[in-house]
Amino acid sequence: MLRVGLTGGIGSGKSTVTARLAELGATVIDADRIAREVVEPGTDGLAEIVEAFGEDVLTVDGVLDRAALAAKAFADEDSRARLNAITHPRIGARTAELMNGAAADAIVVHDIPLLVEGGLGANYHLVLVVDADEDVRVERLVASRGMSEADARARIAAQATREQRVAAADEWLDNNDAPHVVRAEVDALWNERLVPFEAAVRLRSPRPPRPPLIGVPDPTWAAQAERLLARVRLAAGSVGLRADHIGSTAVPDLPAKDVVDLQLTVPNLLDADRISDALSDAGFVRAEGHWFDQPQDDESGPGRWDKRFHYGADPARPVNLHVRSAEGPAWRLALLFRDWLRANPAEAAAYADIKLRLATKHSRDLSSLNYAEEKQSWVDAAFVRAQRWAADTGWEV
């Protein structure tokens, strides 16, 4: 099962996207609908709200009067907390029930307006954000919901900012134009990313080999890594001692292959095996027995193969996840190499030169193994210099 979190500000047009995803075959779970269901007449949720806030939060027909409840529940923090304590567990339980009831090969899209505000992105394999310019959103809200322009802008201002949504988004869907435009984007997303991602996670498919193509630095690599690391930490639970962005994409302005290297440090390799399935289910599939699944840019020095290797199953975001034991030296060396390159621009430039030269030499080598083997001699020598730098500067992890 692939879990997709879908969010967007008021007036962004999420309903157009969710409707198209449902047409394509997604299982859509609507958070707002669940929030209404758990307080419908006859539910214990509504009974508890009446007990907490009084009979006057009901209409004459026995239905929840949301305006009357809001006037009481949002009057102070204690009242808000009391309401949340009633509704949130029920919403969570119903959401989990629907998730667990989905087919094993389902692509489950959880439409949740406050995903960004709640910091919930790590719960999903991907986060999709639907967005439109503020003026477009205001125009829609005025036309479709009868809001005044001032009210529409106030509602928009009360939600997460565009910058916060950008930081949370694995996929950004621009919905400024006519509906058919974003529907076409959704179709492409479904066919090129979501369907193959789901299959790779479920089937534990080996990752296709790629040649060593060195590209210009992407300034969003660090933000992408943070989203991925949050998922790794959640899947690893208490077994994970630390999770870090390592490798070339962790060094600002360093040319690199567009593969984000992550490192999860665990107490020992038995622990690594224990969380293997959890990491695979989270989208970081354990590579076993596939020669082309071995990492192509391993910068951890001695003992670099004494680990477990997982790869990102998302076809649009290649990831190497190195799960290393704290009992060995490699986890520390990977961090040292990263920090040394960050602190020494001349060394980073020299490393970039050798990477570019070897990538050109081995551009037709589909497996990248020859590229990696030749580069490793420079990396191993660099570790000696990095260790001296650590001693001179007092560097510590």
Side-chain angles (χ1 to χ4, degrees):
M1 177 194 304
L2 194 74
R3 299 180 305 279
V4 178
L6 175 69
T7 193
I10 186 171
S12 61
K14 284 193 296 94
S15 59
T16 301
V17 173
T18 53
R20 183 55 183 160
L21 285 167
E23 290 171 358
L24 291 168
T27 299
V28 176
I29 299 175
D30 186 331
D32 282 343
R33 181 178 298 174
I34 293 173
R36 294 191 294 271
E37 286 179 1
V38 299
V39 293
E40 285 179 346
T43 62
D44 59 353
L46 182 59
E48 194 169 338
I49 285 176
V50 171
E51 182 180 350
F53 294 98
E55 294 280 347
D56 53 346
V57 299
L58 297 176
T59 68
V60 293
D61 299 319
V63 176
L64 182 64
D65 185 332
R66 295 183 179 278
L69 175 62
K72 291 188 172 187
F74 298 109
D76 55 71
E77 284 302 317
D78 288 344
S79 298
R80 184 198 298 265
R82 195 181 320 144
L83 176 61
N84 289 342
I86 296 170
T87 59
H88 285 188
R90 291 175 169 83
I91 293 170
R94 178 57 177 157
T95 301
E97 180 184 0
L98 292 172
M99 285 269 190
N100 294 334
D105 62 350
I107 297 174
V108 177
V109 176
H110 189 194
D111 180 351
I112 177 167
L114 298 181
L115 184 153
V116 174
E117 290 86 341
L120 302 174
N123 294 296
Y124 307 96
H125 292 94
L126 282 177
V127 170
L128 313 183
V129 172
V130 185
D131 189 65
D133 294 340
E134 182 173 322
D135 288 344
V136 173
R137 294 164 63 190
V138 168
E139 184 178 340
R140 289 172 181 167
L141 293 170
V142 170
S144 65
R145 304 195 193 183
M147 291 185 185
S148 68
E149 179 178 341
D151 187 23
R153 293 193 186 277
R155 293 284 295 275
I156 290 171
Q159 296 184 330
T161 65
R162 176 174 291 219
E163 291 73 22
Q164 289 170 321
R165 290 197 175 98
V166 166
D170 297 294
E171 187 77 33
W172 188 266
L173 295 170
D174 187 304
N175 194 17
N176 279 301
D177 299 314
H180 75 273
V181 176
V182 77
R183 282 199 291 265
E185 287 186 53
V186 172
D187 288 356
L189 171 66
W190 178 266
N191 292 312
E192 298 169 13
R193 191 170 192 181
L194 300 185
V195 170
F197 194 175
E198 184 282 322
V201 172
R202 175 169 45 88
L203 300 174
R204 305 297 199 250
S205 304
R207 183 172 65 186
R210 296 181 308 277
L213 300 177
I214 305 298
V216 298
D218 182 343
T220 72
W221 276 332
Q224 292 181 56
E226 282 306 309
R227 291 195 296 272
L228 294 161
L229 287 168
R231 293 166 183 143
V232 169
R233 293 182 185 110
L234 184 63
S238 60
V239 172
L241 300 178
R242 61 181 296 153
D244 299 279
H245 183 195
I246 61 169
S248 295
T249 61
V251 181
D253 303 321
L254 180 64
K257 292 184 299 178
D258 187 24
V259 180
V260 173
D261 278 275
L262 307 176
Q263 177 174 270
L264 174 65
T265 305
V266 297
N268 54 63
L269 290 180
L270 289 177
D271 288 315
D273 292 335
R274 209 169 81 226
I275 61 171
S276 175
D277 284 341
L279 291 171
S280 295
D281 289 340
F284 306 96
V285 174
R286 170 80 174 266
E288 296 182 271
H290 304 297
W291 65 267
F292 49 79
D293 275 333
Q294 295 306 317
Q296 307 301 325
D297 217 358
D298 198 1
E299 298 158 346
S300 8
R304 57 187 175 273
W305 300 109
D306 185 19
K307 65 179 177 184
R308 301 294 182 258
F309 177 65
H310 293 244
Y311 72 92
D314 179 2
R317 170 29 60 212
V319 173
N320 291 335
L321 173 60
H322 313 261
V323 184
R324 292 193 168 102
S325 167
E327 294 176 342
W331 70 274
R332 179 182 180 277
L333 291 171
L335 298 174
L336 169 60
F337 189 76
R338 178 199 66 187
D339 292 353
W340 173 69
L341 287 175
R342 287 176 175 176
N344 294 273
E347 294 283 10
Y351 187 42
D353 287 343
I354 194 168
K355 282 157 60 79
L356 290 166
R357 178 172 58 80
L358 292 177
T360 301
K361 177 181 177 181
H362 297 290
S363 60
R364 296 187 181 183
D365 178 3
L366 191 59
S367 75
S368 294
L369 291 179
N370 291 328
Y371 162 83
E373 287 175 1
E374 285 199 46
K375 181 172 65 66
Q376 196 63 48
S377 62
W378 187 94
V379 172
D380 290 342
F383 267 103
V384 177
R385 301 193 297 278
Q387 293 279 28
R388 286 200 298 265
W389 170 81
D392 291 342
T393 62
W395 176 87
E396 292 290 344
V397 177

